[in-house]
């Protein structure tokens, strides 16, 4: 449901190539393929074991035509470089990823995204975030707090903090909106 809602707000019009970084099972990629243009293809960049699970899920839930448009590439997204051709992607998606990596690697992720994006391409960061004032919403804070158990060096995400890191990484236009009420935001 979240992927469908996201792509109702983030247009897929004209998107032919999408990179789903830390894309887990590929659920967001599958929804993008279903909602986007017939030419849209997606690459899920994920850890090897997760790629295996994602491919199994695709066999069970995706049509043959949809499976041909989604591929999995095994790699830890925090590696310093990605096996993705530079300037090849129209859209890079990072959903529920940035809150799960150490703070010092967030800008590495954003710079890698910028390298693979075509001119005019977009990076979409979707994650658990609190407001810029950091005084809520409580639900977003609780969900983000769970990440501390696996990522004690993480950054408490706010739209402003994500936007600042995007700007330092070379992105020019930064916008933000609430995705799941009182829980997640998109920058």
């Amino acid at each position: 449901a979240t992927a469908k809602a996201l792509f109702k707000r983030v247009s897929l019009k004209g998107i032919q190539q999408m990179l789903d970084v830390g894309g887990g099972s590929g659920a967001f990629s599958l929804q993008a393929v279903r909602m986007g243009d017939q030419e849209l293809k997606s690459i899920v960049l994920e850890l090897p074991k997760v790629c295996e699970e994602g491919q199994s899920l695709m066999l069970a839930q995706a049509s043959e035509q949809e499976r041909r448009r989604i591929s999995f590439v095994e790699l830890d997204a925090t590696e310093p470089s990605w096996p993705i051709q530079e300037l090849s992607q129209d859209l890079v998606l990072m959903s529920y990823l940035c809150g799960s990596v150490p703070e010092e690697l967030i800008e590495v992720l954003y710079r890698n995204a910028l390298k693979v994006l075509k001119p005019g391409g977009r990076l979409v960061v979707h994650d658990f975030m609190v407001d810029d004032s950091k005084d809520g919403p409580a639900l977003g804070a609780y969900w983000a707090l769970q990440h501390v158990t696996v990522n004690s060096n993480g950054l408490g995400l706010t739209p402003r903090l994500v936007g600042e890191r995007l700007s330092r990484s070379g992105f020019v236009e930064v916008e933000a909106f609430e995705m799941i009420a009182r829980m997640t935001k998109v920058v």
Side-chain angles (χ1 to χ4, degrees), residues 105-131:
L105 296 178
I106 291 175
E107 287 184 49
V108 172
L109 291 171
Y110 297 164
R111 285 191 300 272
N112 280 338
L114 189 63
K115 285 180 196 174
V116 301
L117 280 168
K118 295 176 183 175
R122 295 176 290 155
L123 169 60
V124 175
V125 177
H126 169 244
D127 219 314
F128 300 107
M129 294 187 205
V130 295
D131 296 332

Side-chain angles (χ1 to χ4, degrees), residues 110-158:
Y110 297 164
R111 285 191 300 272
N112 280 338
L114 189 63
K115 285 180 196 174
V116 301
L117 280 168
K118 295 176 183 175
R122 295 176 290 155
L123 169 60
V124 175
V125 177
H126 169 244
D127 219 314
F128 300 107
M129 294 187 205
V130 295
D131 296 332
D132 289 334
S133 61
K134 297 184 182 176
D135 60 358
L139 194 54
Y142 293 145
W143 277 97
L145 185 60
Q146 291 183 80
H147 291 280
V148 173
T149 61
V150 294
N151 179 29
S152 61
N153 295 321
L155 172 69
L157 301 177
T158 70

Side-chain angles (χ1 to χ4, degrees), residues 70-84:
I70 299 170
S71 59
F72 287 80
V73 174
E74 298 177 357
L75 182 79
D76 181 336
T78 63
E79 290 294 321
S81 64
W82 297 341
I84 305 297

